[in-house]
Amino acid sequence: MFSPEELSALYLSAKVALWATVICLPFAVALAWTLARHEFRLKFLVEACLQLPMVLPPVVLGYLLLVLFGNKGWIGQYLNAMGIELAFNWKGAVLASMIVAFPLMVQPIRLSFQLINRQLEHVAGSLGASPFRVFCSISLPLALPGMLIGSILCFSRSLGEFGATITFVGNIPGETRTIPIAIYSFLQQPDGEEFAIRLVILSLCLAFSALIANYFILQKYQRKLGG
């Protein structure tokens, strides 16, 4: 059985990861469709900014979030005036997870849009369907495998986010102490290694389950393409 502190970390991690995935999804779909279907002058810059969280040290991301969204940050001071606090709050952990995991969600969705047979969309348009209706009835359903894979990757990456989260929101039990931060905390305590090992095993199981689900979705989609 897990201790109350372990259950709190598990619940908080699941809540942060779920909110990060839900909020990221519509933005990821919009950006993936734009990158897959349009060419524009600054496209390379957009793609570079998209991949930036993947190559920057997580601590740098956390510091930038603190500068921008801290209580006295460039943006955070105005949010704070409206009663919205992100720093040292679980909502800030959601924001950190979103930024780190967003590129992982966009890429499979973009690939799904690129693999769609454009003739299906042209036929629907020639029959009088508006572009928005074509997108909702043709493009979006055909991109569903990529959306599922992207959501799984985003959720899994959010569960494991550590560097940006601990820098931006700290290590507050019951508020910002997610599974990775709880593991770090247990390793700093005397006789805390047993608790840390249990959370490590739990993290491995969750990550492995996500990869297995990702594999079967890919296999099913590839069989459909082959058919």
Side-chain angles (χ1 to χ4, degrees):
M1 296 296 294
F2 291 104
S3 67
E5 189 172 357
E6 291 172 312
L7 290 174
S8 174
L10 177 59
Y11 168 75
L12 183 60
S13 294
K15 181 171 72 170
V16 168
L18 181 60
W19 273 103
T21 303
V22 170
I23 296 174
C24 276
L25 186 57
F27 297 100
V29 170
L31 181 59
W33 183 83
T34 301
L35 294 175
R37 296 300 173 83
H38 296 284
E39 296 293 334
F40 47 93
R41 182 174 298 178
L42 297 180
K43 184 176 180 179
F44 74 95
L45 187 59
V46 174
E47 294 191 358
C49 291
L50 174 65
Q51 299 300 327
L52 194 59
M54 302 291 293
V55 297
L56 274 179
V59 176
V60 173
L61 287 175
Y63 175 74
L64 292 175
L65 287 173
L66 198 58
V67 170
L68 291 173
F69 296 99
N71 292 336
K72 296 183 179 179
W74 297 350
I75 301 174
Q77 58 181 325
Y78 301 106
L79 295 177
N80 193 38
M82 295 185 291
I84 301 174
E85 295 185 10
L86 295 178
F88 308 106
N89 188 289
W90 72 271
K91 300 180 184 69
V94 172
L95 178 61
S97 297
M98 287 171 54
I99 293 176
V100 172
F102 188 70
L104 293 175
M105 177 179 277
V106 171
Q107 294 305 329
I109 301 175
R110 177 183 181 180
L111 181 60
S112 289
F113 281 127
Q114 290 174 334
L115 292 175
I116 292 175
N117 186 348
R118 299 292 300 275
Q119 292 183 351
L120 297 175
E121 297 173 332
H122 294 324
V123 169
S126 67
L127 294 175
S130 65
F132 181 74
R133 185 174 181 182
V134 170
F135 175 79
C136 293
S137 61
I138 303 295
S139 306
L140 205 57
L142 291 177
L144 183 60
M147 294 167 60
L148 290 174
I149 293 171
S151 297
I152 291 173
L153 293 176
C154 180
F155 185 85
S156 303
R157 182 63 184 86
S158 298
L159 284 176
E161 167 51 31
F162 173 77
T165 301
I166 196 171
T167 306
F168 182 42
V169 299
N171 182 3
I172 305 173
E175 182 67 31
T176 64
R177 184 174 289 179
T178 56
I179 289 178
I181 298 177
I183 293 173
Y184 173 80
S185 300
F186 283 130
L187 290 176
Q188 308 304 311
Q189 300 173 7
D191 303 323
E193 186 174 357
E194 178 184 350
F195 297 103
I197 289 175
R198 294 201 299 186
L199 288 179
V200 167
I201 294 174
L202 176 61
S203 299
L204 287 171
C205 292
L206 291 173
F208 189 72
S209 299
L211 292 174
I212 292 297
N214 185 47
Y215 172 80
F216 281 110
I217 292 174
L218 278 174
Q219 290 296 310
K220 183 177 180 179
Y221 189 45
Q222 289 173 351
R223 284 196 296 269
K224 286 185 178 181
L225 289 176

